[in-house]
Amino acid sequence: MAKSSLPVGAAVFAQSGGPTTAINASVLGGLLEAKRKPKVFNRLLGAKNGILGVLQEELFDFAKEDAKSIQALKLCPSSALGSCRYKVKTEADYARILEVFQAHNIRYFFYAGGNDSMDTADKVNRLAKEQDYEMLVMGIPKTIDNDLAFTDHCPGFGSVAKYNATMVMEAARDTEALYTADTATVQEVMGRNAGWIAASCGLARREEEDGPHLILIPEIPVNLNKLADRVRDCLKRVGRCVIAASEGTIDESGNYLAEQGGDFGQDSFGHAQLGGVAEFLGNFIEREVGVKSRRNKPGTLQRNGTHWASKTDIDEAYKCGQMAVKHALQGTSGFMVTLVRKGNKPYKCDTGLAQLSEVANGESKLPLQYMNDHGTHISDEFRTYCTPLIKGEVEVPMGKDGLPVYPRLRRKLIPRKCGEWKR
Amino acid sequence: MAKSSLPVGAAVFAQSGGPTTAINASVLGGLLEAKRKPKVFNRLLGAKNGILGVLQEELFDFAKEDAKSIQALKLCPSSALGSCRYKVKTEADYARILEVFQAHNIRYFFYAGGNDSMDTADKVNRLAKEQDYEMLVMGIPKTIDNDLAFTDHCPGFGSVAKYNATMVMEAARDTEALYTADTATVQEVMGRNAGWIAASCGLARREEEDGPHLILIPEIPVNLNKLADRVRDCLKRVGRCVIAASEGTIDESGNYLAEQGGDFGQDSFGHAQLGGVAEFLGNFIEREVGVKSRRNKPGTLQRNGTHWASKTDIDEAYKCGQMAVKHALQGTSGFMVTLVRKGNKPYKCDTGLAQLSEVANGESKLPLQYMNDHGTHISDEFRTYCTPLIKGEVEVPMGKDGLPVYPRLRRKLIPRKCGEWKR
């Protein structure tokens, strides 16, 4: 499609899935780029809560937002536009999306999210083509899980990695200082299907004294007897054992440790243990190895730690948003922006493109060469991969009350033009 | 005691109890002050793992430490000298302490810790006097729990407050963004007996939209029916409910929620719930209110968050250490340094003194006027009290790998002079 044939109309930005520290920077990158071309983008809209905002025709106009709040999106936790976990499936839903787009002359759709969101964006793109509705759809990668295919890494991952690695480094010093008897500490981190985040904790270990001493990831099922041996061995060598464990860690039967009953998953009253992998492992170690344990589960804190974001991550997220708009201005549609690493010394990262349909069906697990031979800690290769992504600190705006100041968009909805949507 | 009559000898610094973000700054403050008077303090020693290091005669010489590592104690998580939870009780233990002190001509003992540590320091001081062994003992306040009496606040508290308030602010945005259906999030914070830390989370709420929306503290027993109503009311008003809960929150019968069985504390299989107050409340809300919940439990992360420490807290911790030495140089013994607030506009804080014996037996709970009339959130009075303590950020030294660099002392033990200690 030649540049001259670009449709003139509104652009919609939307965010989907689990929030990250960097997804607002992506929207800002796109917004500021789009603002430079008012003859193409005659209105810049946000969808409240991702695709749900489109389905429900809950759209707001960025022109009505305070300019300062928009600028502050660069460093703002979570998804300022609102997010959702709604999976678009029915034809009626897709028809509704197009109905809303047409009603508001929306010609550009920029969707920041993971696999499912790219699938949605892809289908919207196809449907528009089928129905001869001229519009351009671009995906912006987002996920702390770092599990999108066709991109070297995902915006959001570098920050959650920096956060968790720093936290486990600091808490490991607690375990080191306090306990004169052997003890274990488990930090439960996110990652249902992929071990990228747990692996990133490994960066905190510069020498044997440092935690974490063991890393558990979903890609390597845990043999609990071996695990107990490894904890014992670590206690003997270091006097303590700090473990970083993915929430999605499974046993050799493929069952999540977090949902385990059975022999190891019972407390002294024979009750099944609930409460996540940290609780399971903590109880398991106390019972099987016979040492005290502590359990840390940062939960949603880890993916919103803007105060300790990776500058590299924020900058790259911004660039992904910016490039999505630039590519649309070149007439590109049906693609997601990717990050393409050009070198490590010095680190250099450009952007590329991947077809939405391909991203939607792909998944990037942690390659086994990123772990050591025993599968118990990271390899040097992973260190080389991950270190550049967590570099650089940000300076969040601070209030007079000693706490960060994060913007909140007004999100005043524009008047509706369509009928009510029925789920 | 006149200044001229000061004994000449070694000084021992020791750290006790749960680590904090600020306790190493206290030691540094004391060390640098003591270093200026080599004619009084002819040797500066550290005890490895608090009073246990004295009992086991595990002492190290700060002169053998790298000067850079010592300077870096200002911003270093946890207790770099090592800590312990050993409670000195027997006369034999006290006799042993004095034996070790005499063997190494230790004439000054600076002990950073909470109530129990002040009790130990007090008894050591008395015993030395009884036995005509000339030595000076000073306490340095330390506890994230902020529950020491006779001091306006405790070094360590400001940093854990800043950490938790920031985290709950950020995670509350996650709850706000992601869930288009009603939902709740519980952040479990430390505080077995006092609600200071949970209350400090309340600072994150500048307006009604902001979390936390409810605060649970040990001082106000929870009526679970009322709590369910309050969660429902909050969901109706705000669409979500973020709760900050002390780990030591109790029900009206005085039982810890974290240890609850009974009607509310069972899962669908009738199993007792374990895993802390966040797990309990999350399950309770899901069952009783019927909305999804998330549970965040930063655990030991919260008391070691040096990367996000309060500058005010670090500076005051440093000053407390410094003043302990200065007072000893004035001949003062048997006292703990206290923080004395002189004003809030602008905030000004001096130091004072409290008798070790009095501190040992005191406990400072959260005064009820620091909560609102319903006991569900903080009052403006608490805001005035707490805000100055979390102000200011620090800049931790960063490595080339994008992570903080924290020192680790060598702690090479000096030759023993006493026999082995038997517990």
Side-chain angles (χ1 to χ4, degrees):
Chain A
M1 201 185 288
K3 210 176 163 182
S4 58
S5 71
L6 284 175
V8 176
V12 164
F13 290 85
Q15 299 174 320
S16 178
T20 78
T21 301
I23 192 170
N24 293 324
S26 285
V27 168
L28 180 66
L31 266 181
L32 296 188
E33 192 61 32
K35 231 180 154 182
R36 298 174 60 209
K37 303 283 178 186
K39 286 182 186 163
V40 178
F41 307 109
N42 62 15
R43 204 174 191 192
L44 299 175
L45 301 175
K48 194 175 170 181
N49 296 108
I51 203 68
L52 265 186
V54 178
L55 288 161
Q56 295 174 332
E57 209 189 352
E58 294 189 339
L59 305 167
F60 59 94
D61 192 334
F62 282 107
K64 307 279 180 189
E65 299 290 341
D66 184 45
K68 267 190 197 164
S69 298
I70 289 185
Q71 204 60 50
L73 288 173
K74 183 92 181 261
L75 290 175
C76 176
S78 186
S79 310
L81 281 53
S83 191
C84 71
R85 288 215 186 275
Y86 186 80
K87 190 153 168 62
V88 185
K89 277 181 185 163
T90 66
E91 281 187 34
D93 275 358
Y94 282 108
R96 167 71 178 190
I97 292 170
L98 220 58
E99 181 198 353
V100 172
F101 281 171
Q102 286 177 313
H104 295 276
N105 190 36
I106 291 163
R107 299 290 179 171
Y108 299 88
F109 181 44
F110 299 105
Y111 206 20
N115 310 41
D116 284 350
S117 315
M118 295 310 137
D119 185 49
T120 301
D122 181 50
K123 285 179 179 147
V124 168
N125 188 49
R126 282 165 200 272
L127 189 65
K129 274 211 181 100
E130 272 170 38
Q131 307 207 352
D132 268 339
Y133 179 69
E134 206 183 342
M135 79 173 289
L136 293 95
V137 177
M138 287 295 297
I140 304 169
K142 177 274 340 175
T143 168
I144 59 163
D145 292 327
N146 205 34
D147 60 355
L148 290 181
F150 303 100
T151 182
D152 180 77
H153 54 282
C154 303
F157 171 64
S159 291
V160 81
K162 187 184 186 86
Y163 177 102
N164 273 313
T166 301
M167 301 280 160
V168 76
M169 172 188 281
E170 293 176 335
R173 292 298 182 96
D174 189 290
T175 311
E176 181 174 344
L178 186 52
Y179 297 95
T180 44
D182 291 350
T183 189
T185 297
V186 185
Q187 182 161 324
E188 173 176 337
V189 300
M190 286 181 161
R192 269 271 145 195
N193 304 309
W196 294 98
I197 299 177
S200 71
C201 292
L203 297 176
R205 192 187 198 193
R206 299 188 182 110
E207 50 191 63
E208 198 184 22
E209 290 263 57
D210 298 329
H213 308 99
L214 289 174
I215 295 172
L216 305 181
I217 60 171
E219 289 87 344
I220 302 179
V222 172
N223 175 312
L224 286 169
N225 289 324
K226 263 195 202 160
L227 177 66
D229 284 343
R230 282 179 175 141
V231 171
R232 282 185 205 103
D233 173 61
C234 181
L235 291 167
K236 205 183 283 177
R237 279 184 297 113
V238 196
R240 59 194 176 275
C241 184
V242 176
I243 302 175
S246 291
E247 59 181 345
T249 303
I250 55 173
D251 65 14
E252 289 183 311
S253 314
N255 300 313
Y256 286 121
L257 294 190
E259 290 173 1
Q260 276 247 25
D263 286 348
F264 291 117
Q266 295 186 342
D267 63 21
S268 51
F269 302 101
H271 298 140
Q273 296 292 340
L274 299 175
V277 71
E279 279 302 316
F280 171 81
L281 288 170
N283 291 329
F284 170 76
I285 290 168
E286 292 197 350
R287 211 161 43 244
E288 295 300 313
V289 183
V291 300
K292 275 197 180 181
S293 76
R294 304 224 48 148
R295 306 98 197 260
N296 298 330
K297 183 187 170 182
T300 58
L301 306 177
Q302 69 196 277
R303 67 182 180 202
N304 296 285
T306 304
H307 72 280
W308 196 242
S310 153
K311 186 174 183 304
T312 301
D313 184 35
I314 298 289
D315 289 346
E316 289 180 346
Y318 184 93
K319 191 161 189 196
C320 286
Q322 195 179 36
M323 290 309 292
V325 172
K326 281 195 176 181
H327 282 296
L329 285 167
Q330 297 296 322
T332 307
S333 183
F335 287 82
M336 182 188 83
V337 175
T338 59
L339 290 166
V340 183
R341 190 182 303 228
K342 293 293 184 179
N344 278 319
K345 287 179 183 182
Y347 172 71
K348 192 174 177 318
C349 191
D350 284 350
T351 61
L353 290 171
Q355 288 208 322
L356 289 173
S357 55
E358 293 193 330
V359 176
N361 295 312
E363 191 182 24
S364 166
K365 301 255 189 179
L366 188 79
L368 288 186
Q369 77 263 26
Y370 280 175
M371 296 291 281
N372 66 14
D373 292 343
H374 298 293
T376 56
H377 215 281
I378 57 172
S379 65
D380 287 344
E381 210 174 325
F382 179 77
R383 224 172 258 278
T384 305
Y385 166 84
C386 197
T387 300
L389 315 184
I390 68 167
K391 281 197 187 177
E393 291 71 58
V394 299
E395 209 172 307
V396 295
M398 297 297 295
K400 281 185 185 166
D401 57 2
L403 293 173
V405 177
Y406 296 129
R408 187 176 271 125
L409 298 176
R410 294 171 64 232
R411 300 191 298 175
K412 188 167 178 279
L413 302 185
I414 63 173
R416 289 211 162 96
K417 294 189 173 181
C418 305
E420 205 167 316
W421 171 61
K422 287 177 190 86
R423 264 188 209 218
Chain B
M1 199 185 290
K3 210 175 162 180
S4 57
S5 71
L6 284 176
V8 175
V12 162
F13 291 85
Q15 300 173 320
S16 178
T20 79
T21 300
I23 191 170
N24 293 324
S26 285
V27 168
L28 180 66
L31 266 181
L32 295 189
E33 193 60 32
K35 231 179 154 181
R36 297 174 58 210
K37 304 283 179 189
K39 286 182 188 163
V40 179
F41 308 109
N42 62 14
R43 203 172 191 194
L44 300 175
L45 302 175
K48 194 174 171 182
N49 296 110
I51 203 67
L52 265 185
V54 179
L55 289 160
Q56 294 174 334
E57 208 188 353
E58 294 188 339
L59 305 167
F60 59 93
D61 193 333
F62 282 107
K64 306 280 181 191
E65 300 288 341
D66 183 45
K68 268 190 195 164
S69 299
I70 289 185
Q71 203 59 50
L73 288 173
K74 183 92 181 262
L75 289 175
C76 176
S78 186
S79 309
L81 280 53
S83 191
C84 70
R85 288 214 184 278
Y86 187 80
K87 191 154 167 61
V88 186
K89 279 179 185 164
T90 67
E91 281 188 35
D93 276 357
Y94 282 108
R96 166 72 179 190
I97 293 170
L98 220 58
E99 181 197 354
V100 172
F101 282 171
Q102 287 177 310
H104 295 276
N105 190 36
I106 292 163
R107 299 289 178 171
Y108 300 88
F109 181 44
F110 299 104
Y111 207 22
N115 311 42
D116 284 349
S117 316
M118 295 311 137
D119 186 48
T120 301
D122 181 49
K123 285 178 180 147
V124 168
N125 187 51
R126 282 166 200 272
L127 189 64
K129 274 210 181 96
E130 273 170 37
Q131 306 208 354
D132 268 338
Y133 178 69
E134 204 182 345
M135 78 174 287
L136 294 96
V137 177
M138 288 295 296
I140 304 168
K142 176 279 334 178
T143 167
I144 59 161
D145 291 329
N146 205 34
D147 60 356
L148 290 181
F150 303 99
T151 182
D152 179 78
H153 55 280
C154 304
F157 171 64
S159 291
V160 81
K162 187 184 188 88
Y163 177 102
N164 273 312
T166 300
M167 301 279 162
V168 75
M169 172 188 280
E170 293 176 335
R173 292 298 182 96
D174 190 289
T175 312
E176 182 174 344
L178 187 53
Y179 298 95
T180 46
D182 291 349
T183 190
T185 297
V186 185
Q187 182 161 324
E188 174 175 336
V189 300
M190 286 179 160
R192 269 271 144 195
N193 303 311
W196 293 98
I197 299 177
S200 70
C201 291
L203 298 176
R205 192 187 198 194
R206 300 187 181 111
E207 51 192 64
E208 200 186 20
E209 289 262 58
D210 297 330
H213 307 99
L214 290 173
I215 294 171
L216 305 181
I217 61 172
E219 290 87 345
I220 302 179
V222 172
N223 175 311
L224 286 170
N225 289 322
K226 263 195 201 159
L227 177 66
D229 284 343
R230 281 178 176 141
V231 172
R232 281 184 206 104
D233 174 61
C234 181
L235 291 168
K236 206 183 282 176
R237 280 185 295 111
V238 196
R240 58 194 176 275
C241 185
V242 176
I243 302 175
S246 291
E247 60 182 344
T249 303
I250 55 173
D251 65 15
E252 290 182 314
S253 312
N255 301 314
Y256 287 121
L257 295 190
E259 289 171 3
Q260 277 248 21
D263 287 346
F264 291 116
Q266 295 185 344
D267 63 22
S268 51
F269 302 100
H271 298 141
Q273 295 293 340
L274 299 175
V277 72
E279 280 301 316
F280 172 81
L281 288 170
N283 292 328
F284 171 76
I285 290 168
E286 293 197 348
R287 213 160 43 242
E288 296 301 313
V289 183
V291 300
K292 274 195 179 179
S293 77
R294 304 227 44 151
R295 307 97 196 258
N296 299 330
K297 184 186 172 185
T300 58
L301 305 178
Q302 69 197 278
R303 68 183 180 201
N304 296 286
T306 304
H307 72 282
W308 197 239
S310 153
K311 185 174 184 304
T312 302
D313 184 34
I314 297 290
D315 289 346
E316 289 179 349
Y318 183 94
K319 191 161 188 194
C320 285
Q322 194 178 38
M323 290 309 293
V325 171
K326 281 193 176 183
H327 282 296
L329 285 166
Q330 296 296 322
T332 306
S333 183
F335 287 82
M336 182 189 79
V337 176
T338 59
L339 289 166
V340 183
R341 189 182 305 229
K342 292 295 185 180
N344 278 318
K345 289 179 181 180
Y347 171 71
K348 191 175 178 317
C349 191
D350 283 350
T351 62
L353 290 172
Q355 287 205 325
L356 289 173
S357 56
E358 293 194 330
V359 177
N361 295 312
E363 189 182 24
S364 167
K365 301 254 190 184
L366 189 79
L368 287 187
Q369 76 263 24
Y370 280 174
M371 295 291 280
N372 65 14
D373 292 343
H374 299 292
T376 56
H377 215 281
I378 57 172
S379 66
D380 287 343
E381 210 173 324
F382 178 77
R383 223 171 260 278
T384 304
Y385 166 83
C386 196
T387 300
L389 315 184
I390 68 167
K391 280 196 188 176
E393 291 72 57
V394 299
E395 210 171 307
V396 294
M398 298 298 294
K400 283 185 184 167
D401 57 2
L403 294 173
V405 176
Y406 295 129
R408 186 176 271 123
L409 298 176
R410 293 172 64 233
R411 300 191 298 174
K412 188 167 179 279
L413 303 185
I414 64 172
R416 292 211 159 95
K417 294 189 173 182
C418 305
E420 205 167 319
W421 172 60
K422 288 180 190 86
R423 268 191 204 214

